[in-house]
Amino acid sequence: METLKVALLGAGNVGAQVARILLEDADALAGRVGARLALTGIAVRDVDAPRAVDLPRELLSTDAEAVMAGADLVVELMGGIEPARTLILAALASGATVVTGNKALLAEHGPELYAAAEDAGVQLAYEAAVAGAIPIIRPVRDNLAGDNITKVLGIVNGTTNYILDAMDATGASFADALADAQRLGYAEADPTADVEGLDAAAKATILASLAFHTSFDRAHVWCEGITAITAEDVAAARDAGYVIKLLAICETVPANPADQGASDGDRGVAVRVHPTLLPREHALASVRGAYNAVYIEAEYAGSLMFYGAGAGGVPTASAVLGDIVSSARRRVLGGPGVTESVGAHVTPVGLEAVVTSYAIGLRVADASGVLAAIAAVFADHGVSIETMRQSTHTDGAGDETAGAQSEGDGERAGGDAELRIVTHRALDTALRRTVEAVGQLDVVHEVTSILRVEGA
Amino acid sequence: METLKVALLGAGNVGAQVARILLEDADALAGRVGARLALTGIAVRDVDAPRAVDLPRELLSTDAEAVMAGADLVVELMGGIEPARTLILAALASGATVVTGNKALLAEHGPELYAAAEDAGVQLAYEAAVAGAIPIIRPVRDNLAGDNITKVLGIVNGTTNYILDAMDATGASFADALADAQRLGYAEADPTADVEGLDAAAKATILASLAFHTSFDRAHVWCEGITAITAEDVAAARDAGYVIKLLAICETVPANPADQGASDGDRGVAVRVHPTLLPREHALASVRGAYNAVYIEAEYAGSLMFYGAGAGGVPTASAVLGDIVSSARRRVLGGPGVTESVGAHVTPVGLEAVVTSYAIGLRVADASGVLAAIAAVFADHGVSIETMRQSTHTDGAGDETAGAQSEGDGERAGGDAELRIVTHRALDTALRRTVEAVGQLDVVHEVTSILRVEGA
């Protein structure tokens, strides 16, 4: 039986598990590949660093280029842009098959890497880059290759889902839920990439490129994180029948925002990541803790959902190993790797073309005529209101009397009231302008929250 | 741009939609494949038969061999064993790539067809054979190729899920729910293949072969349909917190039933299709109507779920087109197709090695001492009882007084009582023997129902 040499770059949370399984399951994997997978070296920053898994000392090296020399497969799990990019390009140029889970690199330099793989006639596999153990790259690239995807809604970041789920379940503040998540290992010491939505935006870039056969760039993706979400936002959403999730959303929209309602104009694709109100009965609303799920609508297939562990060393190792085995089998069979399909050239469009609805929190004067004044601004902008809930503050500092709700103007005077408005669907631009105009009203003391609603 | 000739065999519910989309979306598909897909002919039994979609008359022919001549891709959607098998073998031998959705053929002759594809160095793709539009073949074959799947639980037949869901939602009898399903097009005039579990058993055979890297045969699959499920079974399940689903279950078990509890003995795989009680909070319990879902447990990935439309012409066409586009792209790139991995040679084992629990319905004498006598039989067989619910019949004909429930022996005499017992987990053989022994008791007038419980 032939032997394929596997070089591993990185032995962190995921890499160490991949190494362990390659060694422990060597016989079973050989049977599936039709060749033995020999782990010939592991490039690490520090040979003596403590690791979750004991790895054979003789495989560890700080010299990545030496580890890669002569490898048939290079598995890059070091993360970050450099030196990962340079090493992957060198591996592809040498004719090695490359498996990576590096979402940030693919989001920023995907087209360069895909082209390098195609030029070299080898495979670049990256199932682990999106949604951990959940099969999503192959289903979107291959299974749906003959269909026309219209929308992707994904919970693709476990850290933020864990935090938002904890806030929803316990009423905790963002800061407390984040601290808890850090203590339990669901969030990193520096949580920026997760809580600011950057990780989800990288994954959205990759998914959009595959789903719409067009090279998307990270710069095309609108990105808002969850750091501004308050316990009051979560409670108000719950009262109204919603749950707040950080969603990665890719959808076809008219390329020209003026074409709303026309079914025949040019279509573009808008890609965005932001905290989103989802009706509690939506399939994604029940995704708890650090789990991930991706919901896809396609012209022929209808609605599909994929659910599973979106992070963690062992589950993500499963996705990496799937890529290793299937691309190694391709290597044994001969012929070049799978290539990306990017010939559709759809137009990446911005948030201005997106139709959505807003859930708006306002701190307003608790006086008669206020609701009428606000409603008039909405009417002037052609945005209609679905629900309006008012509760009186006992104080300006965010305390809220529970359950007070009014559809008409109250006659109370003095103090502040909290107003929660959910709009009907309209262009994001129109919604934003409406909120700006409402914010300028004297009776509106603060716009406390703007969140989008999807899935209704 | 190169042109690939596509021959279509069959223009039924799925085939007609595949033809329509190949013609309508030709430009978009060419961009994804890197070659034009020219539909050169459609083999049908009757050129003049009415069809859901108007197809160009000049493409239709009753001569399948003439249609296939010179084709690069042959798409078989005629169903049935012959002539499908002979035509596919001829197509593979001619060097054509073959796409099929023929689950019955793959379940009975899969290994012969996979070997023929491997010998010819071409691809045989069959994503549409299991769970319609839901990506499941590729995820199991490729994404989980480096993992060790331990269990697959699938709702893979839309007709039976529609019927069982209707029985659960409305209290209808099996006969009424089936008649409704037939009227609405969810069940065929001859529903045998669906309601007897044969369709699900074929899909279970295919899934087991992929999941466990071993050629399974339809004969290895235990199969029970849903025709014996009564409204009373459904109501009793609901009262106890369960829903009844027809599940295809593939799982690793000790190859020798005597090895229960030993973690190191040889493992086999048991494959079975039967109506199953699922706890209502299980992810599969909420799969409604004709939808399908597959739930997979794997050693590294943990739990995964795939959900979507499991049947219907257009959704199934999506799966067929995904296979056409991705295998056509492989043809453009060069190199042989993906091959099946069947080197694991796990032992197919029967139901005797399966550990499960039973939900048993008994019609018993409504007299003192009955429960004690029954409980003694369970104890003698080493099977312990989880719950026992008794309700008194007003009559022998299945009328039940609601809510009467007893854990001890009643003192009533005369008439019949209905007893529903859920056991703890035990070997299927032990459970079966226990039920046989219980059925021989004089006080037990009838064993009305035996269902297995999973997912608890």
Side-chain angles (χ1 to χ4, degrees):
Chain A
M1 192 179 250
E2 190 186 349
T3 293
L4 296 176
K5 291 180 187 148
V6 180
L8 179 60
L9 311 182
N13 201 14
V14 180
Q17 296 295 344
V18 169
R20 173 180 72 84
I21 297 167
L22 280 173
L23 296 169
E24 287 182 3
D25 292 0
D27 291 345
L29 297 176
R32 301 176 198 170
V33 172
R36 293 201 71 81
L37 298 175
L39 180 58
T40 53
I42 308 174
V44 294
R45 255 183 306 206
D46 176 1
V47 169
D48 297 311
R51 297 178 211 288
V53 176
D54 276 337
L55 298 173
R57 176 72 185 225
E58 67 274 17
L59 291 179
L60 301 176
S61 162
T62 55
D63 184 348
E65 274 148 32
V67 164
M68 276 169 42
D72 298 293
L73 282 91
V74 173
V75 182
E76 185 275 308
L77 296 167
M78 57 208 310
I81 304 299
E82 288 294 354
R85 175 180 154 276
T86 302
L87 292 171
I88 289 177
L89 288 171
L92 294 170
S94 79
T97 296
V98 172
V99 174
T100 177
N102 193 330
K103 59 220 89 172
L105 177 61
L106 291 168
E108 290 204 20
H109 299 280
E112 178 188 20
L113 299 173
Y114 308 147
E118 193 162 352
D119 288 348
V122 295
Q123 195 151 347
L124 171 65
Y126 51 91
E127 185 64 66
V130 181
I134 306 173
I136 191 68
I137 298 296
R138 235 173 236 100
V140 170
R141 188 193 58 203
D142 297 330
N143 291 73
L144 291 164
D147 206 324
N148 301 310
I149 292 176
T150 52
K151 190 160 190 169
V152 179
L153 289 179
I155 294 174
V156 293
N157 180 272
T159 302
T160 48
N161 202 57
Y162 182 88
I163 292 171
L164 291 171
D165 186 34
M167 291 175 73
D168 184 64
T170 68
S173 70
F174 170 75
D176 288 349
L178 169 60
D180 246 29
Q182 284 172 320
R183 204 162 35 80
L184 296 167
Y186 289 113
E188 303 196 31
D190 175 0
T192 311
D194 293 317
V195 299
E196 297 293 356
L198 310 177
D199 174 80
K203 292 164 177 169
T205 310
I206 297 168
L207 280 178
S209 300
L210 284 170
F212 300 103
H213 309 278
T214 294
S215 287
F216 279 81
D217 191 282
R218 173 63 184 79
H220 295 131
V221 181
W222 175 271
C223 179
E224 288 170 45
I226 65 165
T227 54
I229 304 289
T230 63
E232 290 72 33
D233 288 333
V234 172
R238 168 179 280 282
D239 286 350
Y242 296 99
V243 61
I244 300 180
K245 296 287 188 190
L246 183 72
L247 293 191
I249 306 176
C250 322
E251 62 177 332
T252 60
V253 296
N256 180 351
D259 284 349
Q260 291 305 322
S263 61
D264 51 353
D266 281 350
R267 305 289 291 177
V269 168
V271 187
R272 51 197 167 114
V273 169
H274 54 66
T276 312
L277 269 67
L278 271 180
R280 288 199 170 255
E281 61 274 16
H282 193 281
L284 289 177
S286 58
V287 176
R288 305 290 309 271
Y291 276 87
N292 280 196
V294 180
Y295 182 87
I296 295 179
E297 290 176 10
E299 184 178 355
Y300 309 128
S303 302
L304 298 168
M305 194 169 92
F306 306 79
Y307 169 89
V314 178
T316 308
S318 170
V320 173
L321 284 155
D323 275 352
I324 291 174
V325 170
S326 57
S327 61
R329 201 188 297 163
R330 161 61 46 208
R331 219 173 156 90
V332 170
L333 293 171
V338 171
T339 56
E340 314 307 317
S341 161
V342 291
H345 304 299
V346 303
T347 313
V349 295
L351 212 58
E352 70 281 357
V354 168
V355 172
T356 183
S357 67
Y358 272 24
I360 305 155
L362 301 173
R363 193 162 57 75
V364 301
D366 191 9
S368 64
V370 170
L371 299 191
I374 292 169
V377 174
F378 276 81
D380 287 349
H381 285 79
V383 172
S384 59
I385 292 173
E386 185 176 299
T387 62
M388 195 186 258
R389 289 159 172 257
Q390 185 183 327
S391 50
T392 309
H393 276 230
T394 52
D395 184 352
D399 295 310
E400 211 170 322
T401 58
Q405 183 176 338
S406 163
E407 298 286 336
D409 270 20
E411 287 300 316
R412 302 167 235 97
D416 276 0
E418 176 82 8
L419 206 60
R420 293 274 173 177
I421 296 170
V422 177
T423 73
H424 280 291
R425 287 169 71 78
L427 274 176
D428 201 276
T429 337
L431 292 164
R432 203 181 320 182
R433 283 201 202 107
T434 310
V435 176
E436 278 165 17
V438 164
Q440 320 237 306
L441 291 173
D442 284 344
V443 293
V444 173
H445 298 160
E446 190 186 353
V447 178
T448 56
S449 165
I450 305 170
L451 294 166
R452 294 181 187 82
V453 184
E454 293 289 335
Chain B
M1 192 180 252
E2 190 186 348
T3 294
L4 295 177
K5 290 180 187 149
V6 180
L8 179 59
L9 311 181
N13 201 13
V14 180
Q17 297 295 344
V18 169
R20 172 180 72 83
I21 297 167
L22 280 174
L23 296 170
E24 286 181 5
D25 291 0
D27 291 345
L29 296 176
R32 299 178 199 169
V33 172
R36 294 202 71 81
L37 298 175
L39 180 58
T40 53
I42 308 174
V44 294
R45 255 184 305 206
D46 175 1
V47 169
D48 297 311
R51 294 176 213 291
V53 176
D54 276 338
L55 297 174
R57 176 71 185 224
E58 67 275 17
L59 291 180
L60 302 176
S61 162
T62 55
D63 183 349
E65 274 147 31
V67 164
M68 274 170 42
D72 298 292
L73 281 91
V74 172
V75 182
E76 186 275 306
L77 296 167
M78 58 209 308
I81 305 300
E82 288 294 352
R85 175 180 155 276
T86 302
L87 292 170
I88 288 177
L89 288 171
L92 293 170
S94 79
T97 294
V98 173
V99 174
T100 178
N102 193 329
K103 60 221 84 169
L105 177 62
L106 291 167
E108 290 204 19
H109 299 281
E112 178 188 20
L113 298 173
Y114 308 147
E118 193 163 351
D119 289 349
V122 295
Q123 194 150 349
L124 171 65
Y126 52 91
E127 186 63 67
V130 181
I134 306 174
I136 191 68
I137 298 296
R138 234 174 237 100
V140 170
R141 188 192 59 204
D142 297 330
N143 290 72
L144 291 164
D147 207 325
N148 302 310
I149 292 176
T150 52
K151 190 161 193 169
V152 179
L153 290 180
I155 295 174
V156 292
N157 179 272
T159 303
T160 48
N161 201 57
Y162 182 89
I163 292 170
L164 291 170
D165 186 35
M167 291 175 73
D168 184 64
T170 67
S173 70
F174 170 75
D176 288 348
L178 170 60
D180 246 30
Q182 285 172 317
R183 204 161 34 79
L184 295 167
Y186 289 112
E188 304 196 31
D190 176 0
T192 312
D194 293 317
V195 299
E196 296 295 357
L198 310 178
D199 173 80
K203 292 164 178 171
T205 310
I206 297 169
L207 280 178
S209 300
L210 283 171
F212 300 103
H213 309 279
T214 294
S215 287
F216 278 81
D217 191 281
R218 172 63 183 81
H220 295 131
V221 182
W222 174 271
C223 179
E224 289 171 45
I226 65 165
T227 54
I229 304 290
T230 63
E232 289 70 34
D233 289 333
V234 173
R238 168 180 281 282
D239 285 350
Y242 297 98
V243 61
I244 301 180
K245 296 287 188 191
L246 183 72
L247 293 191
I249 305 176
C250 321
E251 63 176 332
T252 59
V253 296
N256 180 351
D259 284 350
Q260 291 306 321
S263 60
D264 53 352
D266 281 350
R267 306 288 292 175
V269 168
V271 187
R272 51 197 167 114
V273 168
H274 54 67
T276 313
L277 270 66
L278 271 181
R280 288 199 171 254
E281 61 275 16
H282 193 281
L284 288 178
S286 58
V287 176
R288 307 289 309 270
Y291 276 87
N292 279 196
V294 180
Y295 182 87
I296 295 179
E297 290 176 9
E299 184 178 354
Y300 308 128
S303 302
L304 299 168
M305 194 170 92
F306 306 79
Y307 169 90
V314 177
T316 308
S318 170
V320 173
L321 284 155
D323 276 351
I324 291 174
V325 169
S326 57
S327 61
R329 201 188 295 163
R330 162 60 45 208
R331 219 172 156 91
V332 170
L333 293 172
V338 171
T339 55
E340 315 306 318
S341 161
V342 291
H345 305 297
V346 304
T347 314
V349 296
L351 213 57
E352 68 283 358
V354 168
V355 172
T356 184
S357 67
Y358 273 23
I360 305 154
L362 301 173
R363 194 161 58 75
V364 300
D366 191 8
S368 65
V370 169
L371 298 191
I374 291 170
V377 174
F378 275 82
D380 287 350
H381 286 79
V383 171
S384 59
I385 293 173
E386 185 177 300
T387 61
M388 195 186 259
R389 290 161 171 253
Q390 184 184 327
S391 50
T392 310
H393 276 230
T394 53
D395 183 352
D399 296 311
E400 212 171 318
T401 58
Q405 183 175 341
S406 164
E407 298 285 337
D409 271 20
E411 288 300 317
R412 302 167 234 97
D416 277 0
E418 176 82 9
L419 206 60
R420 293 273 173 179
I421 295 169
V422 177
T423 73
H424 279 292
R425 287 168 71 77
L427 274 177
D428 200 276
T429 338
L431 293 165
R432 205 180 320 182
R433 285 202 200 107
T434 308
V435 175
E436 277 165 19
V438 164
Q440 319 237 304
L441 291 174
D442 284 344
V443 293
V444 173
H445 298 160
E446 189 186 354
V447 178
T448 56
S449 165
I450 306 171
L451 293 166
R452 294 182 187 81
V453 183
E454 293 290 335

